[in-house]
Amino acid sequence: MRLIKENFERDGSGLVTLFPEEPEDMWYAYNLIRPNDLLRASAIRRVTTESATGSTSSTRVHTTLTIRVASLDFDPQSSQLHVSGKIAEETKFTKVGQYHTLDLELQRNFTLEKDGEEAWDSVARGIIKEACDPVKSADVWAVVMQEGLANLAVLTGARTVLRQRIEVSIPRKRGGRASDHDKGLEKFFQTTLDTLLRQIDLTESKPILLASPGFTAASFQKFILDTATRTGNKALMSQKANLVVVHSSSGHLHSLNEVLQTPEVNARLKDTQYAREGKLMDDFMTLLRKDDGRAWYGPQEVEKAVEKGAVGRGGGVLLISNALFRAQDVAIRRRWVRLADKVRDVEGGEVRTLSSEHESGKRLDGLGGIAAILTFPLDDLDDDELEVEVPNGHEGVQMASNEQTPLLTTVHVVPRQPRYRHSTLRRFCTIALSTTLVVVVVLFLIPINWLPHHTWDDGWDNNHPPLPLLWSTDYPHHSWPASQGLTYQELQDILLNTPSETKAKEWSQYYASGPHLAGKNLTQALYTRGRWQQFGVPDSSIATYDVYLNYPLGRRLALLEQKNRTVEDDTTKEGYSVQYECSLEEDVLKEDSTTGLDNRIPTFHAYSANGDITAQYVFVNFGTYWDYEDLLKANVSLEGKIAIAKYGRGFRGLKVKRAQQLGMAGVVIYSDPQEDGKVTEKNGYKPYPHGPARNPSSVQRGSVQFIDVAPGDPTTPGYPSKPGAPRQIPNDIVASIPSMPISYQDALPLLQSLNGYGPSASDFNNYWQGGGLDYQNVSYNIGPSPPSLKLHLVNEQEYVTTPLWNVIGIINGTLANEVVIIGNHRDAWVAGGAGDPNSGSAALNEVVRSFGIALEKGWKPLRTIVFGSWDGEEYALIGSTEWVEEYLPWLSDTAIAYLNVDIGTNGPLFLAGASPVLHGAVHEAAALVQSPNQTVAGQTVHDTWDGQISSLGSGSDFTAFQDFAGIPSINLMFTGAHDSPVYHYHSNYDSFHWMDTYGDRHWRYHTTITKIWALVAASLVERPIIPFSATNYAKSLAAYIKKIEVKASDVDTSNLMEHQDSLHHVKLAVSRLNDAAIRFDQGASSLNQQIKHGNIPWWKFWQRVKLYLEVKKVNDGYKFLERHFLYEKGLDGRSWFKHVVFAPGRYTGYSGATFPGLIEAVEDGNKTAIKKWCNIVEQRIDSATAWLSRQN
């Protein structure tokens, strides 16, 4: 940009004439021109003239127009700026007030005039100075590429601009036609180089980044240098030192951000504006994580810090987005200009305006567009010192949860008015009457309003009709301890008789009729909210979070073989032919309509890294930690190889995590029929849809996030992903190597090609035996494959931050501080999901409908019920985790329990997992519901169930409630038996058709799980005393300690005695808890007897008051018991998990570990950690013991 003329007045008005020379100048013009400015520029105007005969003609004329700016439209791709407004000066062809759009052009002057006080402020003048800087130029050029695709971008001081996208079709190497591929690749490189040379100035020495997955970038660098040598192009050869080859996860432009964060690129770009701004944001985020009071963000917080002089000389930096200076409102823009001026000119601090078109600016925009690094720390800046801004006309708007109210106000004090003189008689009368009033209130009126006027059987006492309530605060309702509106038996009858197979089928058919991937199911969220409101829960709403997700763009898995190989260490793909191309698709079945939907979801892994790799491969059994250990002991080479693993025996993400830790290049996971019990093709069963066996093309999608570290949005661990929340790079939570799921049909050629290479699974222990494809000529050799046999794995994912939607329904109880939460997730990996999760979704709708009918009949719950239809569970339990993180203080104060159903049913076996305090509630509900699978008439679910209740690990929405918030939780389901039809987990064949044909043909298991779920909830909601068992918790802890002793003896017998002393103190703590728990449960049982059989007369009000207060104290004891097992610092290496008793196993994920910190220390043989965790566990147990003792 050239400055042709400038004329500024003292009052801040004036004009400038500028000459834009390059596309980047349009960006500066966009930030300079504001509404109400006068803009004069050349234009082409269509003019219509009328002849004397009445005919009209239209011509285009060149003219100069002056408009009063109304709006701007900037196209960042083409760097075109369109400015619209009304004509301000009349010309031969235009009249004042006509509307026109000026298209600013390169190499043509334009004049900008600003009138009004402070119009040409320091920011506007700074933009002119920067735009007209003669040394301003592109900082970095980048070519992000993969075979056949190249994106040419330039990083300037202000923007990241895509200059050209190049696509050239390159034939694949098939059937020995390598020459066609080589010619196509050479053409692609030549086209990319020609385009690059047209864009850059070879006389300048600027870094040129060449980034790609695999070897494409390195090959392109070699092509550039070979071309320079061949053509004698010295200027091109001089750029050799500027060519920087780096790895990227894909050839798409979004991969540029990860490229720019690599150490080698950072080292080259350290002197560029982009790097300096990026480093400032990195420094700010580091200070923010340290939480030392020197990093603040948000408009009010930063303004307050500047006011206190904390952003000044000695290291103070104001970071502000240029988007704030583009505000349409002059007053708002002036607010930020004056703040910047004060920091720079008065306080002596540094002001950095970050571009919203750079990654650093986008990160700042996520913090509200403004942040500051302070010279000295300020504590509690966001508490009582900040004022709440209320827009005009919105004084009644309720404040958000993160807003603060001033605690100090101005109180005007006036002299006290003189009082009248008291006589002795007046004093006496005042005291006597006051004392009488106090006695009456204490002895009669207050107790009367605490008294229940119903007996336990809900019948009125005819001799003593109910007295009117004068006021009531703590007392639940007039009929306590009985249920309100309905008896407890009547409520149970409604919950047992309302659930309908027809309705369950209707809900399932809706949810499983189309794709509902996380972040893409708003229609289903709105539908769910509408149904709940229709059922009688009007307080149903949608809670939204902005979360980090990925969606599939492209993928490939091919088996390559090289013929006549001579160079053993050759790592390129030259000379390879495709022996097998995996379809990576599930077959479309005419019998199952949703398998053929045009918008069906591809097979992919959530949070899998992008990558294009070619490598030898190894069979790793189930890919468990112990499987990898077996391979290391057998000296099997793993580094740089691709792992082929079976699904099962642990969470898929931990298979990828361990492979990554061992330096493997990628992971492929398939579903082996070994996991299907006896219902396999090998045993003569036909595959779905013609029989109950697994369809050979079925693929299990799923997440590979490291769920052992933390669930939820990986960029906001420990706090909710609300708009504007600061985000972290999730390096420790998501994989850095690519992975993909495949069918066993696609796995067969890969496994068969390993036959004879390396040891066989039969050479290992029992955990390696039993593969289900042996009848298909698979010997389960380990490999690795020979150097001439490799896999080519391409995984391309799009990572975005996008909304997801939880549906929350509330039935308010009379006790607002005691809450029961009931939840199921709604999102699925496929168009179907009839089992996971929508058998649970159908059941949840029936639970809500059942409680709605009870409300319609006059029932009012004692405790509050919250229903949750979670989104994003499949990716990383995101919806429920973010909700718990947002409402943690409220949940910690009110929550009684969380009741979860994920998969409602996919078979006939009842399974339950729960906190030990809830075991009794599950057994009781199961004994009230008739079994759908009766071998003897009248059998209940409890009669056909083995009665085992497991501890909870992870893999579903109870995780955040139990492991992060310390809320007792339950997970219920019906699952398949050894001889049940195979359930196609996370596959297109988890469909409504499969459920209606094989899973639950009569839909009775859907209604059965509904009834159990609702009855457990009713028990927790309506019982005057919460039906928990502290004694069972203590007994369970004793059993868990015994398991640790066994583990300690297995791991290290020689040092067992050293562990015994520490474990002995833990056992003594458990014993003390057991004694306190027995006393506490006995006290609760005694109160229950009083409630059931006491029938205290109304006039013995003091006994009823005493009973209620004792019940409240016992319920508080039960409610907060589990919270005492939370350890604020969390587990070692995974601090998000706060519970010292329960957590997902670090090597399994799904299954639960008990006393996880201690058991992991024992497994590692870490004596220091064993002692540490014994002390922590003992302290937490003693805390629970002391709590029960105080409440007893």
Side-chain angles (χ1 to χ4, degrees), residues 409-469:
T409 186
T410 302
V411 179
H412 299 284
V413 180
V414 298
R416 178 185 297 179
Q417 295 293 326
R419 299 178 63 96
Y420 60 87
R421 295 180 180 179
H422 286 279
S423 67
T424 303
L425 178 61
R426 185 172 292 155
R427 286 195 183 94
F428 174 78
C429 292
T430 301
I431 295 171
L433 290 173
S434 300
T435 303
T436 302
L437 180 61
V438 170
V439 170
V440 170
V441 170
V442 170
L443 296 181
F444 186 74
L445 295 181
I446 291 179
I448 281 295
N449 287 279
W450 278 5
L451 295 183
H453 303 289
H454 281 180
T455 60
W456 176 245
D457 62 1
D458 260 17
W460 290 109
D461 185 342
N462 294 326
N463 296 322
H464 305 285
L467 298 177
L469 298 181

Side-chain angles (χ1 to χ4, degrees), residues 472-604:
S472 181
T473 52
D474 292 336
Y475 206 73
H477 53 75
H478 66 276
S479 57
W480 186 90
S483 296
Q484 187 176 11
L486 296 174
T487 66
Y488 184 56
Q489 182 61 55
E490 288 171 338
L491 175 63
Q492 285 185 322
D493 290 343
I494 290 173
L495 300 180
L496 283 168
N497 296 322
T498 299
S500 159
E501 287 81 10
T502 301
K503 285 292 184 182
K505 184 176 181 179
E506 177 185 339
W507 311 137
S508 177
Q509 190 161 19
Y510 168 77
Y511 285 116
S513 62
H516 41 295
L517 197 59
K520 295 190 175 185
N521 59 63
L522 178 58
T523 301
Q524 287 199 358
L526 296 171
Y527 171 88
T528 302
R529 182 185 64 179
R531 295 290 75 73
W532 291 4
Q533 292 172 340
Q534 184 182 42
F535 296 155
V537 185
D539 191 2
S540 297
S541 59
I542 294 178
T544 304
Y545 298 91
D546 286 353
V547 301
Y548 183 68
L549 303 177
N550 66 297
Y551 299 112
L553 293 176
R555 64 219 191 282
R556 184 197 187 197
L557 185 66
L559 179 64
L560 309 180
E561 185 175 12
Q562 186 179 33
K563 304 297 183 182
N564 302 320
R565 184 175 177 82
T566 58
V567 182
E568 288 299 320
D569 62 348
D570 180 19
T571 57
T572 70
K573 292 178 285 185
E574 300 299 323
Y576 282 90
S577 61
V578 176
Q579 296 303 301
Y580 179 75
E581 188 81 41
C582 295
S583 71
L584 306 180
E585 296 282 350
E586 295 180 290
D587 294 344
V588 175
L589 309 177
K590 63 180 181 180
E591 297 87 351
D592 193 339
S593 60
T594 55
T595 66
L597 293 176
D598 292 338
N599 59 345
R600 62 188 183 274
I601 298 168
T603 58
F604 78 107

Side-chain angles (χ1 to χ4, degrees), residues 760-823:
S760 170
S762 60
D763 299 328
F764 290 83
N765 56 48
N766 289 336
Y767 295 104
W768 287 75
Q769 312 310 313
L773 295 174
D774 52 352
Y775 76 108
Q776 295 272 32
N777 189 33
V778 173
S779 60
Y780 290 102
N781 279 91
I782 308 302
S785 62
S788 60
L789 198 64
K790 295 182 178 180
L791 286 181
H792 180 209
L793 187 158
V794 179
N795 189 51
E796 186 178 343
Q797 306 289 325
E798 176 188 22
Y799 277 86
V800 297
T801 299
T802 187
L804 58 70
W805 306 278
N806 294 334
V807 183
I808 305 296
I810 301 174
I811 300 177
N812 288 305
T814 53
L815 294 178
N817 65 340
E818 294 183 3
V819 178
V820 175
I821 305 107
I822 304 171

Side-chain angles (χ1 to χ4, degrees), residues 56-113:
T56 60
S57 62
S58 179
T59 58
R60 294 166 62 88
V61 298
H62 287 270
T63 185
T64 299
L65 298 180
T66 302
I67 66 171
R68 177 73 67 178
V69 177
S71 62
L72 298 91
D73 179 30
F74 179 69
D75 183 353
Q77 188 73 25
S78 60
S79 295
Q80 293 180 343
L81 179 58
H82 313 288
V83 186
S84 301
K86 292 183 178 180
I87 302 294
E89 295 179 2
E90 187 169 336
T91 68
K92 177 181 178 182
F93 306 109
T94 61
K95 296 180 179 180
V96 173
Q98 289 182 322
Y99 198 81
H100 189 83
T101 298
L102 289 175
D103 296 328
L104 297 191
E105 301 177 12
L106 297 178
Q107 312 302 322
R108 286 183 181 272
N109 291 351
F110 69 86
T111 299
L112 180 65
E113 182 176 353

Side-chain angles (χ1 to χ4, degrees), residues 676 678-696 744 775 980-982 984 994 998:
D676 295 340
K678 73 175 187 178
V679 184
T680 63
E681 286 189 85
K682 179 181 178 181
N683 292 331
Y685 292 90
K686 293 183 178 180
Y688 179 75
H690 305 295
R694 176 179 300 279
N695 185 292
Y744 82 71
Y775 76 108
S980 296
V982 172
H984 296 76
W994 180 88
Y998 293 104

